[in-house]
Amino acid sequence: MRRIGPAARLRFFFAALTAGAAMLGSAALLAPSSEAAPGANCIYYSDESHTTVVGKYGRDCCNNPIAWGTKTQHYECGGCFLCTPPPP
């Protein structure tokens, strides 16, 4: 029976390592991404006239979280908040 030399073993090791990294990378690319759900984006108002905004909760179209203000019983949900650049 023939033995595998150290150089061949090293080549097999790196080939297996490369194949494993390729499989892991392709699995990461195929994983579903979570996108902003427009129905979960809500703007909250101070009263039923819907003139004064007191809070916004949800995600913008770039999938950044938006969460500020107060949640009230006067709200409208839907649409996509405009993308805001991240703070510096």
Side-chain angles (χ1 to χ4, degrees), residues 11-88:
R11 272 188 255 133
F12 286 138
F13 171 76
F14 281 113
L17 187 66
T18 303
M23 286 189 288
L24 185 63
S26 63
L29 289 174
L30 295 175
S33 64
S34 62
E35 295 184 13
N41 294 333
C42 297
I43 300 175
Y44 294 86
Y45 298 94
S46 60
D47 57 24
E48 61 190 28
S49 67
H50 290 204
T51 54
T52 305
V53 176
V54 296
K56 282 186 177 182
Y57 289 87
R59 293 191 171 268
D60 65 14
C61 290
C62 298
N63 211 23
N64 298 313
I66 304 292
W68 63 268
T70 306
K71 291 183 178 181
T72 66
Q73 64 183 3
H74 309 288
Y75 61 91
E76 290 181 354
C77 296
C80 194
F81 296 144
L82 295 177
C83 291
T84 55

